[in-house]
Amino acid sequence: METPKERIRLQKFLSQAEICSRRAAEKLIAEGAVTVNGRAAELGQSVVPGEDDVRLNGKKISLEPRSRIVLMMNKPRGCVCTNLDPHDARTVFELIPPEYAAHKLFCVGRLDKDSEGLLLITNDGDLANRIIHPSSDILKRYEVTLNRDFDPALAPRLLKGAKLKNENGEDEFLRFANVIRFPDPRKLEIHLKQGRKREIRRLLELFGFFVKSLVRFQIGGLILKKMPPGDCRKLSRKEIDSIFASGGNASATRSRLKKPNRAALRGEKASARKLSVHKKISPREALREREAEKRRERAKEKARRIREAERERAAENTPPTKEISGKKPRERAENPWRTSLRPHRKNARTRNYASRRRK
Protein backbone atom coordinates (compact mmCIF):
# COMPACT_ATOMS: atom_id res chain seq x y z
CA MET A 1 0.00 0.00 0.00
CA GLU A 2 1.42 3.33 -1.04
CA THR A 3 1.75 6.01 1.63
CA PRO A 4 0.08 9.33 0.79
CA LYS A 5 2.49 12.09 -0.14
CA GLU A 6 2.84 15.08 2.13
CA ARG A 7 0.99 18.25 1.20
CA ILE A 8 2.65 21.61 1.82
CA ARG A 9 1.45 25.17 1.51
CA LEU A 10 1.96 26.84 -1.83
CA GLN A 11 4.10 29.70 -0.47
CA LYS A 12 6.39 27.16 1.23
CA PHE A 13 6.59 25.23 -2.04
CA LEU A 14 7.75 28.36 -3.89
CA SER A 15 10.24 29.15 -1.13
CA GLN A 16 11.73 25.64 -1.16
CA ALA A 17 12.00 25.85 -4.96
CA GLU A 18 14.18 28.94 -4.36
CA ILE A 19 11.85 31.19 -6.34
CA CYS A 20 11.27 33.77 -3.63
CA SER A 21 10.60 34.12 0.07
CA ARG A 22 7.28 33.06 1.60
CA ARG A 23 6.18 36.65 2.04
CA ALA A 24 7.00 37.48 -1.57
CA ALA A 25 5.19 34.27 -2.64
CA GLU A 26 2.02 35.47 -0.94
CA LYS A 27 2.15 38.68 -2.98
CA LEU A 28 2.58 36.71 -6.23
CA ILE A 29 -0.38 34.48 -5.33
CA ALA A 30 -2.53 37.51 -4.50
CA GLU A 31 -1.61 39.11 -7.86
CA GLY A 32 -2.70 35.95 -9.74
CA ALA A 33 0.75 35.15 -11.14
CA VAL A 34 0.68 31.56 -9.76
CA THR A 35 -1.54 28.77 -11.10
CA VAL A 36 -2.12 25.24 -9.79
CA ASN A 37 -3.35 22.62 -12.29
CA GLY A 38 -4.42 25.37 -14.69
CA ARG A 39 -6.40 27.38 -12.13
CA ALA A 40 -5.45 30.57 -10.32
CA ALA A 41 -3.94 29.79 -6.94
CA GLU A 42 -5.40 31.01 -3.66
CA LEU A 43 -3.73 32.04 -0.41
CA GLY A 44 -3.43 29.12 1.98
CA GLN A 45 -3.75 26.53 -0.76
CA SER A 46 -1.78 23.28 -0.38
CA VAL A 47 -0.08 21.27 -3.11
CA VAL A 48 1.60 17.87 -3.42
CA PRO A 49 5.15 18.20 -4.82
CA GLY A 50 5.57 16.08 -7.95
CA GLU A 51 1.85 15.62 -8.61
CA ASP A 52 0.33 19.11 -8.85
CA ASP A 53 1.26 21.34 -11.79
CA VAL A 54 2.48 24.63 -10.33
CA ARG A 55 3.37 27.46 -12.70
CA LEU A 56 4.62 31.02 -12.24
CA ASN A 57 3.74 33.30 -15.17
CA GLY A 58 3.25 30.20 -17.30
CA LYS A 59 6.61 28.63 -16.38
CA LYS A 60 6.43 25.26 -14.64
CA ILE A 61 8.06 25.02 -11.24
CA SER A 62 9.38 21.73 -9.91
CA LEU A 63 10.73 21.00 -6.48
CA GLU A 64 14.04 19.29 -7.07
CA PRO A 65 15.87 17.57 -4.21
CA ARG A 66 18.54 19.82 -2.79
CA SER A 67 21.23 19.53 -0.18
CA ARG A 68 21.05 21.52 3.02
CA ILE A 69 23.53 24.37 3.31
CA VAL A 70 24.48 25.86 6.68
CA LEU A 71 27.22 28.51 6.73
CA MET A 72 28.94 30.09 9.71
CA MET A 73 30.24 33.65 9.34
CA ASN A 74 32.14 36.03 11.56
CA LYS A 75 30.08 39.07 10.67
CA PRO A 76 32.12 42.27 10.52
CA ARG A 77 30.86 45.63 11.69
CA GLY A 78 29.07 47.74 9.08
CA CYS A 79 27.24 44.92 7.24
CA VAL A 80 23.48 44.33 7.35
CA CYS A 81 21.76 40.94 7.53
CA THR A 82 19.39 41.30 4.59
CA ASN A 83 19.34 40.05 1.02
CA LEU A 84 18.59 43.48 -0.43
CA ASP A 85 18.96 46.82 1.31
CA PRO A 86 17.18 49.88 -0.14
CA HIS A 87 19.91 52.16 1.20
CA ASP A 88 22.61 50.32 -0.76
CA ALA A 89 24.42 49.22 2.39
CA ARG A 90 26.87 46.37 2.31
CA THR A 91 25.18 43.02 3.06
CA VAL A 92 26.57 39.82 4.54
CA PHE A 93 25.63 37.94 1.35
CA GLU A 94 28.38 39.78 -0.47
CA LEU A 95 30.88 37.93 1.75
CA ILE A 96 29.71 34.34 1.17
CA PRO A 97 31.80 32.08 -1.12
CA PRO A 98 30.87 32.23 -4.84
CA GLU A 99 29.76 28.57 -4.98
CA TYR A 100 26.85 29.37 -2.64
CA ALA A 101 25.79 32.64 -4.29
CA ALA A 102 23.26 30.94 -6.60
CA HIS A 103 21.33 29.38 -3.68
CA LYS A 104 18.51 31.13 -1.88
CA LEU A 105 20.07 31.73 1.51
CA PHE A 106 18.87 33.71 4.51
CA CYS A 107 20.13 34.58 8.00
CA VAL A 108 19.20 32.56 11.07
CA GLY A 109 18.55 35.43 13.43
CA ARG A 110 20.03 38.82 12.71
CA LEU A 111 22.75 41.08 14.02
CA ASP A 112 22.31 44.81 13.53
CA LYS A 113 24.70 46.88 11.45
CA ASP A 114 26.93 47.91 14.38
CA SER A 115 27.13 44.39 15.88
CA GLU A 116 29.54 41.65 14.92
CA GLY A 117 30.31 38.02 15.60
CA LEU A 118 28.77 34.61 14.98
CA LEU A 119 26.08 34.50 12.28
CA LEU A 120 24.39 31.45 10.71
CA ILE A 121 23.23 31.50 7.08
CA THR A 122 21.20 28.63 5.61
CA ASN A 123 18.60 27.54 3.08
CA ASP A 124 16.78 25.24 5.54
CA GLY A 125 13.75 26.99 6.98
CA ASP A 126 12.92 24.21 9.45
CA LEU A 127 16.41 24.35 10.92
CA ALA A 128 16.23 28.13 11.22
CA ASN A 129 12.88 27.93 13.05
CA ARG A 130 14.27 25.37 15.49
CA ILE A 131 17.20 27.62 16.36
CA ILE A 132 15.22 30.86 16.61
CA HIS A 133 12.12 29.62 18.45
CA PRO A 134 12.26 30.16 22.26
CA SER A 135 10.88 26.65 22.87
CA SER A 136 14.23 25.21 21.75
CA ASP A 137 15.85 26.92 24.77
CA ILE A 138 19.03 27.64 22.81
CA LEU A 139 21.33 30.12 24.51
CA LYS A 140 23.10 32.96 22.69
CA ARG A 141 26.12 34.57 24.35
CA TYR A 142 27.34 38.11 23.72
CA GLU A 143 30.35 40.15 24.80
CA VAL A 144 29.27 43.74 25.44
CA THR A 145 31.44 46.82 26.05
CA LEU A 146 29.70 49.81 27.68
CA ASN A 147 30.49 53.51 27.64
CA ARG A 148 30.90 53.64 31.43
CA ASP A 149 31.32 51.39 34.45
CA PHE A 150 28.49 48.96 35.12
CA ASP A 151 26.68 49.13 38.45
CA PRO A 152 26.33 45.57 39.86
CA ALA A 153 23.10 46.57 41.62
CA LEU A 154 21.38 46.77 38.22
CA ALA A 155 21.97 43.09 37.36
CA PRO A 156 18.77 41.81 39.08
CA ARG A 157 16.69 44.43 37.25
CA LEU A 158 18.13 43.35 33.89
CA LEU A 159 17.27 39.73 34.67
CA LYS A 160 13.77 40.74 35.72
CA GLY A 161 13.25 42.62 32.44
CA ALA A 162 11.11 45.53 31.31
CA LYS A 163 8.34 46.28 28.83
CA LEU A 164 9.22 48.61 25.93
CA LYS A 165 7.55 49.80 22.74
CA ASN A 166 8.85 48.54 19.41
CA GLU A 167 8.89 50.38 16.07
CA ASN A 168 5.25 49.49 15.44
CA GLY A 169 4.12 50.82 18.82
CA GLU A 170 3.55 47.33 20.24
CA ASP A 171 4.65 46.29 23.71
CA GLU A 172 7.62 43.93 23.94
CA PHE A 173 8.99 42.36 27.10
CA LEU A 174 12.80 42.40 27.08
CA ARG A 175 14.96 40.51 29.56
CA PHE A 176 18.36 38.85 29.85
CA ALA A 177 18.85 35.21 30.79
CA ASN A 178 22.12 35.96 32.61
CA VAL A 179 24.58 38.79 33.21
CA ILE A 180 28.23 38.02 34.05
CA ARG A 181 30.62 40.76 35.20
CA PHE A 182 34.35 40.78 34.56
CA PRO A 183 37.30 42.54 36.17
CA ASP A 184 36.93 45.28 33.57
CA PRO A 185 33.89 47.19 34.94
CA ARG A 186 32.83 48.20 31.43
CA LYS A 187 32.60 44.66 30.04
CA LEU A 188 29.73 42.19 30.43
CA GLU A 189 28.79 38.78 29.11
CA ILE A 190 25.05 38.68 28.39
CA HIS A 191 22.97 35.57 27.66
CA LEU A 192 19.73 35.59 25.66
CA LYS A 193 17.13 32.94 24.91
CA GLN A 194 14.95 35.08 22.66
CA GLY A 195 15.61 37.21 19.63
CA ARG A 196 13.99 40.64 19.85
CA LYS A 197 15.25 43.42 17.62
CA ARG A 198 18.18 45.30 19.22
CA GLU A 199 17.19 43.77 22.54
CA ILE A 200 20.51 44.23 24.34
CA ARG A 201 21.00 47.82 23.23
CA ARG A 202 17.43 48.89 23.99
CA LEU A 203 17.32 47.38 27.47
CA LEU A 204 20.71 48.80 28.47
CA GLU A 205 19.78 52.23 27.12
CA LEU A 206 16.75 52.13 29.41
CA PHE A 207 19.16 52.11 32.38
CA GLY A 208 21.42 54.82 30.95
CA PHE A 209 24.13 52.75 29.22
CA PHE A 210 25.35 53.04 25.65
CA VAL A 211 26.75 49.92 23.95
CA LYS A 212 30.08 50.68 22.27
CA SER A 213 30.63 47.16 20.91
CA LEU A 214 28.57 43.97 20.79
CA VAL A 215 29.99 40.60 19.72
CA ARG A 216 28.05 37.34 19.59
CA PHE A 217 30.48 34.46 20.11
CA GLN A 218 28.22 31.48 20.78
CA ILE A 219 24.90 29.96 19.65
CA GLY A 220 23.98 26.86 21.61
CA GLY A 221 27.01 24.58 21.58
CA LEU A 222 28.58 26.27 18.55
CA ILE A 223 31.41 28.67 19.43
CA LEU A 224 33.14 31.16 17.17
CA LYS A 225 36.84 30.26 17.03
CA LYS A 226 39.80 31.35 14.92
CA MET A 227 37.79 33.10 12.21
CA PRO A 228 38.80 36.59 11.07
CA PRO A 229 36.02 39.14 10.50
CA GLY A 230 34.28 38.53 7.18
CA ASP A 231 35.33 34.87 6.95
CA CYS A 232 32.64 32.30 6.06
CA ARG A 233 32.67 28.51 5.87
CA LYS A 234 30.25 25.58 5.69
CA LEU A 235 29.36 23.68 8.85
CA SER A 236 29.66 19.92 9.11
CA ARG A 237 26.87 17.67 10.30
CA LYS A 238 28.58 17.28 13.67
CA GLU A 239 28.82 21.05 14.13
CA ILE A 240 25.14 21.49 13.27
CA ASP A 241 24.17 18.86 15.83
CA SER A 242 26.34 20.57 18.46
CA ILE A 243 23.96 23.56 18.39
CA PHE A 244 21.25 21.41 19.97
CA ALA A 245 23.51 19.27 22.18
CA SER A 246 22.61 19.35 25.89
CA GLY A 247 19.83 21.82 25.30
CA GLY A 248 22.07 23.86 23.02
CA ASN A 249 24.19 25.29 25.81
CA ALA A 250 27.94 24.72 25.92
CA SER A 251 29.72 24.27 29.23
CA ALA A 252 31.47 27.22 30.86
CA THR A 253 34.88 25.64 30.25
CA ARG A 254 34.34 25.85 26.48
CA SER A 255 33.32 29.49 26.54
CA ARG A 256 35.72 31.96 24.94
CA LEU A 257 35.42 34.26 27.93
CA LYS A 258 36.79 32.58 31.05
CA LYS A 259 34.79 32.93 34.23
CA PRO A 260 36.59 35.47 36.46
CA ASN A 261 37.53 35.02 40.10
CA ARG A 262 34.71 36.13 42.38
CA ALA A 263 37.10 38.04 44.65
CA ALA A 264 38.46 39.91 41.60
CA LEU A 265 34.92 40.97 40.67
CA ARG A 266 34.57 42.55 44.11
CA GLY A 267 37.92 44.30 43.73
CA GLU A 268 39.60 42.12 46.36
CA LYS A 269 42.62 39.84 46.34
CA ALA A 270 41.99 36.15 46.00
CA SER A 271 42.19 34.56 49.45
CA ALA A 272 44.10 31.38 50.20
CA ARG A 273 42.20 28.15 49.96
CA LYS A 274 40.69 27.20 53.32
CA LEU A 275 41.28 23.72 54.68
CA SER A 276 38.33 21.64 55.70
CA VAL A 277 37.44 21.65 59.39
CA HIS A 278 36.86 17.90 59.29
CA LYS A 279 40.31 17.08 58.00
CA LYS A 280 41.44 13.60 59.03
CA ILE A 281 44.87 13.39 60.74
CA SER A 282 46.94 10.47 61.93
CA PRO A 283 47.47 9.71 65.68
CA ARG A 284 51.12 10.75 65.41
CA GLU A 285 50.18 14.15 63.94
CA ALA A 286 47.54 14.60 66.65
CA LEU A 287 50.18 13.92 69.34
CA ARG A 288 52.53 16.44 67.77
CA GLU A 289 49.80 19.08 67.73
CA ARG A 290 49.00 18.48 71.42
CA GLU A 291 52.67 18.77 72.42
CA ALA A 292 53.04 21.96 70.40
CA GLU A 293 49.95 23.38 72.11
CA LYS A 294 51.42 22.57 75.54
CA ARG A 295 54.68 24.29 74.61
CA ARG A 296 52.77 27.38 73.53
CA GLU A 297 50.84 27.42 76.83
CA ARG A 298 54.05 27.09 78.86
CA ALA A 299 55.64 29.94 76.91
CA LYS A 300 52.58 32.15 77.56
CA GLU A 301 52.66 31.35 81.29
CA LYS A 302 56.39 32.11 81.51
CA ALA A 303 55.90 35.44 79.74
CA ARG A 304 53.04 36.29 82.13
CA ARG A 305 55.22 35.61 85.19
CA ILE A 306 58.01 37.76 83.81
CA ARG A 307 55.61 40.66 83.29
CA GLU A 308 54.29 40.36 86.84
CA ALA A 309 57.80 40.33 88.28
CA GLU A 310 58.70 43.45 86.30
CA ARG A 311 55.59 45.24 87.56
CA GLU A 312 56.49 44.36 91.17
CA ARG A 313 60.04 45.66 90.80
CA ALA A 314 58.75 48.86 89.21
CA ALA A 315 56.30 49.34 92.09
CA GLU A 316 59.06 48.97 94.69
CA ASN A 317 61.24 51.60 93.01
CA THR A 318 58.41 54.17 92.64
CA PRO A 319 59.42 57.55 94.26
CA PRO A 320 57.17 59.01 97.00
CA THR A 321 54.31 61.17 95.83
CA LYS A 322 54.44 64.96 96.31
CA GLU A 323 52.12 66.86 98.60
CA ILE A 324 49.02 68.06 96.77
CA SER A 325 46.52 70.67 98.02
CA GLY A 326 47.93 70.79 101.62
CA LYS A 327 47.67 67.04 102.23
CA LYS A 328 50.69 65.20 103.57
CA PRO A 329 51.87 62.20 101.59
CA ARG A 330 51.28 58.85 103.18
CA GLU A 331 54.35 57.71 105.14
CA ARG A 332 55.70 54.34 104.26
CA ALA A 333 56.79 51.92 106.95
CA GLU A 334 60.35 50.73 106.90
CA ASN A 335 60.73 47.39 105.21
CA PRO A 336 62.68 45.09 107.54
CA TRP A 337 63.51 42.71 104.73
CA ARG A 338 65.91 45.22 103.12
CA THR A 339 68.10 45.74 106.20
CA SER A 340 68.42 42.70 108.41
CA LEU A 341 66.83 39.60 106.93
CA ARG A 342 67.63 37.47 103.93
CA PRO A 343 65.12 37.90 101.08
CA HIS A 344 62.61 35.11 100.69
CA ARG A 345 58.91 34.73 100.03
CA LYS A 346 56.88 37.36 101.86
CA ASN A 347 53.84 36.26 103.80
CA ALA A 348 52.09 37.27 106.96
CA ARG A 349 53.60 34.57 109.19
CA THR A 350 57.18 35.27 108.16
CA ARG A 351 56.76 39.05 108.44
CA ASN A 352 55.36 38.86 111.97
CA TYR A 353 58.02 36.39 113.03
CA ALA A 354 60.80 38.58 111.63
CA SER A 355 59.51 41.65 113.46
CA ARG A 356 59.44 39.77 116.78
CA ARG A 357 63.04 38.63 116.29
CA ARG A 358 64.17 42.22 115.69
CA LYS A 359 62.64 43.33 118.93
Side-chain angles (χ1 to χ4, degrees), residues 131-262:
I131 297 174
I132 296 173
H133 204 275
S135 62
S136 299
D137 199 32
I138 294 179
L139 200 69
K140 290 89 174 175
R141 300 188 179 192
Y142 301 81
E143 179 186 347
V144 181
T145 304
L146 305 176
N147 62 325
R148 59 187 179 89
D149 293 354
F150 178 75
D151 184 5
L154 295 177
R157 300 178 65 183
L158 294 174
L159 299 179
K160 185 178 180 180
K163 187 180 291 185
L164 296 175
K165 297 282 186 181
N166 59 12
E167 296 178 350
N168 300 326
E170 302 173 352
D171 290 334
E172 284 184 344
F173 188 75
L174 309 181
R175 59 174 298 184
F176 298 158
N178 197 8
V179 177
I180 300 177
R181 297 184 293 121
F182 289 89
D184 187 348
R186 298 193 178 191
K187 277 194 174 184
L188 298 175
E189 181 182 324
I190 295 178
H191 300 175
L192 293 182
K193 289 188 177 180
Q194 58 184 6
R196 307 289 186 183
K197 186 176 181 180
R198 297 174 60 87
E199 182 169 8
I200 295 178
R201 297 179 185 272
R202 290 164 59 194
L203 189 55
L204 287 173
E205 286 174 2
L206 180 64
F207 293 94
F209 294 96
F210 174 75
V211 177
K212 297 181 66 176
S213 69
L214 190 150
V215 181
R216 179 165 64 191
F217 63 90
Q218 182 175 339
I219 298 177
L222 184 65
I223 304 175
L224 182 65
K225 297 179 181 178
K226 298 179 181 179
M227 289 184 66
D231 193 12
C232 181
R233 67 175 180 86
K234 187 176 181 180
L235 292 181
S236 64
R237 178 68 185 179
K238 184 178 180 180
E239 290 175 320
I240 296 173
D241 294 339
S242 68
I243 299 175
F244 306 95
S246 301
N249 302 326
S251 62
T253 56
R254 296 178 61 191
S255 177
R256 190 182 70 173
L257 297 177
K258 295 182 179 180
K259 192 173 182 180
N261 186 282
R262 294 185 180 274

Side-chain angles (χ1 to χ4, degrees), residues 277-319:
V277 178
H278 306 286
K279 181 183 177 181
K280 294 183 179 180
I281 58 176
S282 63
R284 180 174 296 180
E285 291 178 352
L287 179 61
R288 290 175 180 173
E289 289 185 1
R290 287 196 296 269
E291 291 177 351
E293 184 65 24
K294 290 179 181 179
R295 286 196 296 270
R296 287 192 292 269
E297 292 294 334
R298 288 195 295 267
K300 289 181 181 179
E301 182 66 18
K302 184 177 180 180
R304 185 182 64 80
R305 291 177 181 176
I306 292 174
R307 288 195 298 270
E308 289 182 355
E310 290 177 353
R311 282 197 294 268
E312 290 179 0
R313 287 195 297 269
E316 293 174 356
N317 298 328
T318 302

Side-chain angles (χ1 to χ4, degrees), residues 18-50:
E18 299 185 354
I19 301 299
C20 58
S21 65
R22 296 189 186 187
R23 189 171 299 176
E26 292 177 357
K27 294 181 180 180
L28 294 175
I29 295 172
E31 294 172 358
V34 182
T35 60
V36 178
N37 298 328
R39 296 182 180 180
E42 299 178 357
L43 287 173
Q45 184 176 353
S46 299
V47 296
V48 178

